[in-house]
Amino acid sequence: MSTTADLPVVVIGAGPAGLAAAAHLVERGIEPLVLEAGPTAATAVRGWSHVRLFSTWSELVDPAAERLLAPTGWARPEADTFPTGGEWAKRYLQPLADALGETVRYGATVTGLSRLGRDRIVDADRERQPFTIRVTRAGGAEERILGRAVIDASGTWSTPAPISADGLPALGEHAASARVSYRIPDLKDPAVRARYAGKRTAVIGSGASAFTTLAALADVAKDEPGTHAVWILRRALSGSTFGGGSADQLPARGALGLAAKAAVDDGYAEAVTGFRTEAVEPADGRLVLAGEDGRRLEPVDEVIVLTGLRPDLSFLSELRLALDERLQAPVALAPLIDPNQHSCGTVYPHGHRELSHPEQGVYLVGMKSYGRAPTFLATTGYEQVRSVTAALAGDTEAADRVELTLPETGVCGGAGLFDEPAAAQGDEGGCRTPAPALVRTGPGASRPVAVTEDTGSGGCCGS
């Protein structure tokens, strides 16, 4: 690629993985150009700034990034503390972007990627052509940027999954958009709190984000009469519905599942199981959810959809990518992260070989590399970009070397809602499904619900 050697490596996204990739490129003497659609670094992370991570600072700082920051006087926060998304952005990600200086461009939305003068059909001289990146600036102006390679670390935050279980928006979902949210609400914000206080809210999803929301709504209900949550699950209650509980390797995450269970047991929420939403229908200023099986739930005022995220592949359509037909992750990586088989604790570290595509020189990294799988770790992303940047530098030995070691039970990270210091203590358990058990639901429930092991729809990790 001698004709492209003087061009930068274009990194899409100034989030944790993208900024770490840039730091590794700088360390190897390769010029990066980071394109960030938002007005600041870590725009997506700031979108959940009120949510606390399960990962500690020791797991959230990339080594090359720390070396780049050291001359600025930056010091890593206390290693065993848990930041919120806002703290992660303010205390690490934005300072890292600032240290990278003009190599980070804000308000730059990538709308297309291709090879210069070659659409995806053309073979002739393809690998000798630079990548062409089409960008729309914040003011609407368009420009073309050329790059020697592309690292897509744009994540999945901008493309949440819809309500319907078939992956398509439910009938009426778009029309009801004013009352539908796809984010964990910040109920400490007075305006947001007013939206849900005293209201009946449907919460759809079975992962940590749903736990967080149920626990938060329960707290509101204690002070605001009439506040009630309807927790909608596509599957039956099971031994894994509420996570690992006291057996979780990260007690703070386990406590979150227990808090969600308490919300149901204490009557602040009710669980509707085996319900797959087909339509969202207006009903006298409220919304009625209709299921595929003909059931219709009582009207609700608001709907919070927390059914996962998916990658935006629309601007990559002219590249030759090899993606798994189910997860939309690189084909060599997909078997390692299949949520039907793996949790974050059973995904071994991987690098450039698992992330490569037929289109040489392009890599999807970070959360986007996992496609629709929900088990991603920040530390995994840092190992990915270390390997990828070594490969781009021609250092195959370093690229193939594994420099990340995870305990067999996993060092799991993700978003959660916990503020009590006691929640972060303890070191027993693992990232695993607890044994089948009997779970009681509802206030004063007299009949236990027998449950069996079930993986649920969410993963154990998500940082």
Side-chain angles (χ1 to χ4, degrees):
M1 299 179 66
S2 59
T3 59
T4 65
D6 294 333
L7 296 174
V9 172
V10 174
V11 179
I12 305 174
L19 293 173
H24 280 274
L25 289 167
V26 169
E27 194 165 66
R28 287 188 169 273
I30 300 174
E31 179 189 359
L33 176 58
V34 182
L35 302 176
E36 166 59 44
T40 63
T43 300
V45 174
R46 295 175 195 271
W48 47 273
S49 61
H50 58 292
V51 180
R52 192 172 298 279
L53 285 91
F54 299 133
S55 299
T56 63
W57 274 112
S58 64
E59 299 152 5
L60 296 173
V61 176
D62 174 79
E66 186 167 15
R67 290 190 290 270
L68 180 67
L69 282 165
T72 70
W74 183 87
R76 181 203 293 256
E78 188 175 352
D80 60 354
T81 59
F82 300 80
T84 62
E87 290 166 346
W88 196 19
K90 180 180 179 180
R91 300 182 64 184
Y92 166 63
L93 296 170
Q94 189 61 59
L96 176 55
D98 293 342
L100 288 164
E102 295 183 356
T103 63
V104 181
R105 296 186 188 177
Y106 301 111
T109 301
V110 175
T111 58
L113 274 171
S114 188
R115 291 280 190 177
L116 183 64
R118 307 288 189 275
D119 64 19
R120 67 184 295 164
I121 298 175
V122 179
D123 291 332
D125 207 28
R126 184 177 189 86
E127 292 180 6
R128 293 179 57 84
Q129 303 305 309
F131 289 95
T132 177
I133 300 93
R134 192 64 56 86
V135 175
T136 300
R137 304 293 297 184
E142 293 183 305
E143 65 176 307
R144 185 186 70 181
I145 295 172
L146 300 181
R148 61 185 286 190
V150 176
I151 299 175
D152 182 357
S154 57
T156 57
W157 178 252
S158 63
T159 46
I163 293 175
S164 176
D166 58 17
L168 302 174
L171 299 175
E173 183 171 343
H174 292 317
S177 61
R179 292 180 177 269
V180 179
S181 171
Y182 301 85
R183 310 299 186 199
I184 300 172
D186 181 2
L187 294 174
K188 293 182 180 180
D189 181 320
V192 176
R193 186 182 180 90
R195 176 174 177 174
Y196 298 100
K199 307 289 182 61
R200 182 177 173 86
T201 299
V203 178
I204 305 175
S206 60
S209 295
F211 293 168
T212 300
T213 301
L214 290 167
L217 286 172
D219 285 341
V220 173
K222 295 171 185 177
D223 300 322
E224 302 282 354
T227 305
H228 191 74
V230 182
W231 186 21
I232 299 175
L233 300 108
R234 295 169 180 169
R235 305 187 186 192
L237 287 173
S238 74
S240 63
T241 296
F242 297 99
S246 59
D248 199 306
Q249 184 183 11
L250 294 178
R253 183 186 54 219
L256 180 59
L258 295 176
K261 183 178 183 299
V264 176
D265 289 345
D266 294 342
Y268 298 119
E270 61 188 89
V272 178
T273 62
F275 190 90
R276 298 173 180 268
T277 307
E278 181 177 68
V280 182
E281 302 171 354
D284 298 325
R286 305 179 86 190
L287 298 174
V288 169
L289 301 183
E292 294 177 357
D293 58 3
R295 282 186 289 170
R296 293 168 59 84
L297 303 184
E298 293 183 21
V300 297
D301 301 288
E302 299 284 344
V303 179
I304 301 175
V305 186
L306 301 167
T307 54
L309 302 166
R310 54 183 58 173
D312 178 7
L313 302 171
S314 61
F315 60 87
L316 304 175
S317 61
E318 291 305 318
L319 297 179
R320 298 175 177 181
L321 302 180
L323 298 174
D324 178 74
E325 69 275 9
R326 293 176 302 129
L327 296 183
Q328 296 179 301
V331 291
L333 177 60
L336 310 181
I337 62 173
D338 184 348
N340 294 298
Q341 303 294 328
H342 296 282
S343 73
C344 54
T346 60
V347 177
Y348 68 77
H350 52 274
H352 72 113
R353 296 193 184 278
E354 292 86 354
L355 298 170
S356 63
H357 293 277
E359 193 80 71
Q360 295 185 24
V362 61
Y363 298 92
L364 277 59
V365 304
M367 191 69 192
K368 189 164 187 175
S369 72
Y370 271 38
R372 299 191 182 202
T375 55
F376 190 72
L377 292 167
T379 49
T380 300
Y382 296 155
E383 174 68 1
Q384 287 180 343
V385 299
R386 183 205 61 78
S387 174
V388 165
T389 54
L392 291 174
D395 188 350
T396 304
E397 188 277 330
D400 288 339
R401 187 171 62 241
V402 174
E403 295 188 3
L404 173 65
T405 301
L406 297 176
E408 290 183 2
T409 49
V411 179
C412 306
L417 183 65
F418 61 95
D419 291 302
E420 296 77 10
Q425 303 303 312
D427 59 5
E428 296 182 354
C431 183
R432 60 180 182 268
T433 302
L438 295 179
V439 178
R440 297 179 183 272
T441 62
S446 58
R447 183 171 63 86
V449 179
V451 298
T452 57
E453 188 169 301
D454 182 81
T455 59
S457 63
C460 69
C461 319
S463 64

